[in-house]
Amino acid sequence: MRVLAALFIGLALGGSVARAEEVAPKLAESTVGLPVRAEQLVLPGTELEPVPWDDASPVVVRIEAVYPHGTALRYDLNYQGLEPGEYDLRKYLRRKDGSTVDDLPPLEITIRGLLPSEHITPHDPGFSVVPWLGGYRVLLAVGTVVWLLVLIWVIFPPRRADQVIDAQETRVTLAERLRPLIGRAMRGELSSVELAQFERALVSYWRRRRSLEDCSPAEATRRLRSDAQAGPLLTQVEAWLHSPTGAQNVDVAALLAPFQDLPAEDLDLAPVAVDAGAIPKRPVVAGASHR
C-alpha cells in the first residue's frame, strides 16, 4: 500500500509539474539591447496589447501577430531588455478590453548585461529648458524677418536719388506753363483763334474751381471777371483778343501769382499752341500744397 501511495503521489506531482510547464512558457534569455522573438505563444483570455512604453521602462514588448487558438489566442511577441535583470512580461501587457491579466501564466525573462559589474553609470542628463536667446524659435523669427525684408526690397526696390531728382525736375507748375503763352500773347504771336481758345480754357478751369458749372457760360464769365484770382488773367486775355496791340506791357508776375504752385495738368491748354521747350524746369518742394 505504501508503494502504491507513493506512486500515486509521484504521478500526481509529476502531472502538476507537467501542467505548470505547459501553462508557463519558457522564454529565451537575452542580453541588453538584443531583441528576442517568441512565436506561437498560447495565452488564455481576451486579446492582449503592449503597455505604452516610457523612458523608465526597462523592457520593450511588441505584439507582431495574433492568431485564434480555441478559447485562447496565439501570439508572436518581440521583446527587448534595456536593463539587465529578471522581468515578467505580464507587467508590460494589458487586455484590450480592460480586464485583468492575472489569469496569464508567468512570462519570466532574463536580460543579461554585457558591461562589467564595476563599470560607472553616467549621470542622467534629464530634461532642461532650452534658453530663450539663441533658441530655435528666435532663429526662426529672425529668419522670417530677414526673408520678408528681402522680399519687400525685391518687390519695391528703392528709387535712386537721380531718379527722384529727374522726376522732380520734370514737374512744372501751372504758372511756368502759362508764362511762355503770355509772352507770345504780349508779342502778338497768338492768333485770335488761339486767344479765344486760351480764354475758353481759363473760363473752363475757373468754373470748375469756383463750382460754377451750373451757371451759363455768360454768367460764369461775368462772375469770373470780378474774381480776385481768376479775373486779372482772364480780363487780360480778353483784352488781347479784342485789342491785340493795345496792351503789350503787363505785370506778368501779378497775372501768374494765382497759378503759383498749382499743377500744370489742371488747366487744359491742348488747343492752344504751347512751346514745351520754353517751359523752365525746376525741382518741386516735397509736400507743397496745390490748392
Side-chain angles (χ1 to χ4, degrees), residues 26-289:
K26 293 183 179 179
L27 299 177
E29 292 185 1
S30 179
T31 56
V32 173
L34 182 65
V36 178
R37 180 180 175 86
E39 298 179 342
Q40 303 300 308
L41 184 64
V42 179
L43 296 175
T46 58
E47 185 174 353
L48 300 168
E49 65 179 2
V51 174
W53 179 81
D54 56 35
D55 293 338
S57 178
V59 177
V60 178
V61 179
R62 291 194 297 273
I63 296 179
E64 298 181 349
V66 181
Y67 310 94
H69 187 84
T71 58
L73 295 171
R74 282 184 291 115
Y75 298 87
D76 288 342
L77 298 181
N78 188 302
Y79 58 91
Q80 180 180 11
L82 305 180
E83 295 289 341
E86 303 287 341
Y87 304 101
D88 190 339
L89 295 186
R90 292 181 298 180
K91 183 180 178 181
Y92 308 99
L93 296 172
R94 66 183 183 185
R95 301 286 187 189
K96 285 189 174 181
D97 58 4
S99 59
T100 180
V101 294
D102 292 342
D103 56 339
L104 291 177
L107 301 174
E108 296 177 349
I109 62 172
T110 299
I111 304 298
R112 291 180 288 104
L114 298 176
L115 297 176
S117 58
E118 63 273 12
H119 81 281
I120 300 174
T121 303
H123 295 291
D124 184 6
F127 293 97
S128 61
V129 179
V130 178
W132 183 84
L133 181 62
Y136 173 75
R137 294 182 179 179
V138 174
L139 293 177
L140 181 62
V142 172
T144 303
V145 171
V146 172
W147 183 84
L148 289 176
L149 291 177
V150 173
L151 180 63
I152 292 174
W153 184 85
V154 171
I155 297 177
F156 306 103
R159 300 180 62 184
R160 299 196 307 271
D162 54 345
Q163 292 178 331
V164 176
I165 293 175
D166 290 344
Q168 291 177 344
E169 287 180 349
T170 57
R171 298 179 60 185
V172 295
T173 66
L174 183 54
E176 292 165 342
R177 192 180 180 193
L178 290 173
R179 186 180 299 278
L181 195 60
I182 293 176
R184 292 183 59 198
M186 292 173 61
R187 295 190 296 272
E189 296 177 0
L190 291 182
S191 64
S192 58
V193 175
E194 291 173 326
L195 287 172
Q197 292 172 341
F198 191 8
E199 180 190 19
R200 285 196 294 272
L202 288 174
V203 171
S204 177
Y205 171 73
W206 285 110
R207 285 183 68 184
R208 291 196 306 271
R209 291 186 64 86
R210 295 295 186 260
S211 301
L212 298 176
E213 290 90 345
D214 295 336
C215 297
S216 64
E219 175 63 17
T221 303
R222 186 188 65 78
R223 295 175 63 175
L224 290 176
R225 289 196 187 101
S226 59
D227 189 277
Q229 291 183 303
L233 183 57
L234 179 60
T235 304
Q236 184 59 56
V237 172
E238 289 178 342
W240 284 325
L241 177 62
H242 300 293
S243 181
T245 59
Q248 302 301 327
N249 296 322
V250 297
D251 187 352
V252 178
L255 292 178
L256 295 178
F259 304 95
Q260 296 292 342
D261 298 329
L262 293 179
E265 58 271 16
D266 283 5
L267 178 58
D268 182 14
L269 293 175
V272 186
V274 178
D275 185 5
I279 301 175
K281 297 181 179 179
R282 67 174 180 82
V284 177
V285 179
S289 173

